[in-house]
Amino acid sequence: MTPDVRAWRHFSQSELDAAYNNMAAVARSGEILNSLTARSIKTRERTAIALDLAYGPGARQTIDIFACGHPHAPMLVFLHGGYWQRNAKEMFSVLAEGPLAHGFDVAMPGYTLAPEASLTRIVEECETAIRLLRVVGPSMGVAESRLIISGWSAGGHLAARLSEMPEVDAALAISGIFDLEPIRHSYLQEALRLSSEEAHFQSPQHRVAQATKPVSVIWGGAELPELQRQSRDYIAARVATGKPVSGGAIEGEDHFTILAQLADPTSQVTGHLLALDSGLGD
């Protein structure tokens, strides 16, 4: 009789892989991403003040910047998801529409994907992009005021991780990954090649002491249970250590429909951004 091998905690390998396979869990995931990609073309044409601003020598080390037209506007920096190994910033430009309508400027950095880049390198690239925005942004009339880092899925992980930066004032993590250990045991490890040390070091769940800025953690009430647990556990860790945190589940939204909400100025996701910014004061 074949032994019942556990890949991580109580999960078998197939169970763990399914627990983190968002695209398989949402039948319309490809359709939603394709729609956002098509809509993003118009956003870039209408509101971009810089496309592919280089922050490094790599092909993906560039930033798109969208301006609302208001002086000294707060900035949202949005990092795309795709489990650190797929997608591109150009697919998500339309997500700037919600923040722009409320007087935010928006920047969307790209980053080198795994397996070409390790997760540590991806974090470092995103740090470089944010520092560049703070240095050159004012000459373009942006990044002079509050800066909120945001992201979805893998980008949610990066947002929470980068909230430690002195250049960042707060973070909005959407459907993020905060503990990388189960990822290390899943099918995603083939591209990420995480060591146990890197997984621990780059997990926001284990870096709460360093992440003292306000963080809003939101996720869809119809997401995979493991994704929901990740967010709840991260909130609990911040509450337990007295770190500022807000957020919660948005009922009825899955891993992909919650992402699309950011393009809507009236959505709950955009509302979470506004509440987070309002809490920062002037």
Side-chain angles (χ1 to χ4, degrees):
M1 186 176 188
T2 303
D4 185 18
V5 177
R6 303 289 94 181
W8 181 75
R9 293 187 177 175
H10 62 279
F11 291 96
S12 68
Q13 189 65 65
S14 61
E15 289 169 342
L16 184 62
D17 290 347
Y20 283 92
N21 194 332
N22 293 300
M23 295 196 74
V26 180
R28 293 182 57 245
S29 58
E31 178 185 337
I32 292 170
L33 290 176
N34 288 339
S35 175
L36 293 175
T37 301
R39 293 167 61 193
S40 291
I41 296 172
K42 293 183 179 179
T43 300
R44 289 198 298 277
E45 291 174 347
R46 188 174 65 256
T47 61
I49 62 168
L51 294 175
D52 296 324
L53 174 69
Y55 68 84
R60 286 177 170 264
Q61 294 175 343
T62 62
I63 310 169
D64 295 341
I65 302 176
F66 308 89
C68 68
H70 301 288
H72 305 291
M75 169 166 275
L76 179 74
V77 179
F78 181 85
L79 297 163
H80 73 79
Y83 275 141
W84 309 274
Q85 58 191 273
R86 58 177 178 267
N87 298 333
K89 61 179 170 58
E90 292 81 7
M91 298 169 61
F92 303 96
S93 305
V94 70
L95 302 186
E97 297 287 354
L100 286 168
H102 289 282
F104 282 78
D105 296 325
V106 179
M108 295 192 178
Y111 51 86
T112 308
L113 302 178
E116 181 180 349
S118 67
L119 186 56
T120 296
R121 177 178 156 191
I122 290 170
V123 170
E124 291 171 348
E125 287 186 6
C126 294
E127 289 174 336
T128 300
I130 292 168
R131 293 189 187 106
L132 181 77
L133 281 169
R134 282 303 202 186
V135 171
V136 307
S139 67
M140 305 169 67
V142 298
E144 299 174 290
S145 181
R146 299 180 299 280
L147 188 151
I148 297 176
I149 183 79
S150 182
W152 161 76
S153 197
H157 158 267
L158 292 170
R161 177 67 178 79
L162 298 174
S163 70
E164 302 172 23
M165 296 183 67
E167 294 85 356
V168 171
D169 295 299
L172 175 67
I174 306 169
S175 303
I177 301 293
F178 306 102
D179 181 3
L180 295 165
E181 187 61 17
I183 300 298
R184 191 172 72 86
H185 294 277
S186 76
Y187 73 102
L188 299 162
Q189 174 70 351
E190 182 177 354
L192 292 170
R193 304 169 186 170
L194 292 164
S195 67
S196 59
E197 293 79 13
E198 184 181 29
H200 188 275
F201 185 83
Q202 298 296 353
S203 290
Q205 186 75 24
H206 303 303
R207 302 182 64 89
V208 174
Q210 297 98 310
T212 59
K213 311 288 180 57
V215 179
S216 182
V217 182
I218 57 175
W219 66 94
E223 295 207 46
L224 286 165
E226 263 296 284
L227 270 291
Q228 297 191 52
R229 180 197 63 78
Q230 286 255 359
S231 290
R232 288 194 302 268
D233 284 0
Y234 184 54
I235 287 178
R238 293 188 65 85
V239 169
T241 55
K243 301 301 186 296
V245 66
S246 59
I250 299 180
E251 294 307 321
E253 301 291 345
D254 62 41
H255 194 68
F256 294 88
T257 58
I258 193 172
L259 165 69
Q261 276 207 13
L262 198 55
D264 179 0
T266 66
S267 74
Q268 291 184 67
V269 173
T270 303
H272 278 280
L273 170 63
L274 298 179
L276 182 62
D277 182 63
S278 176
L280 296 175
D282 294 327

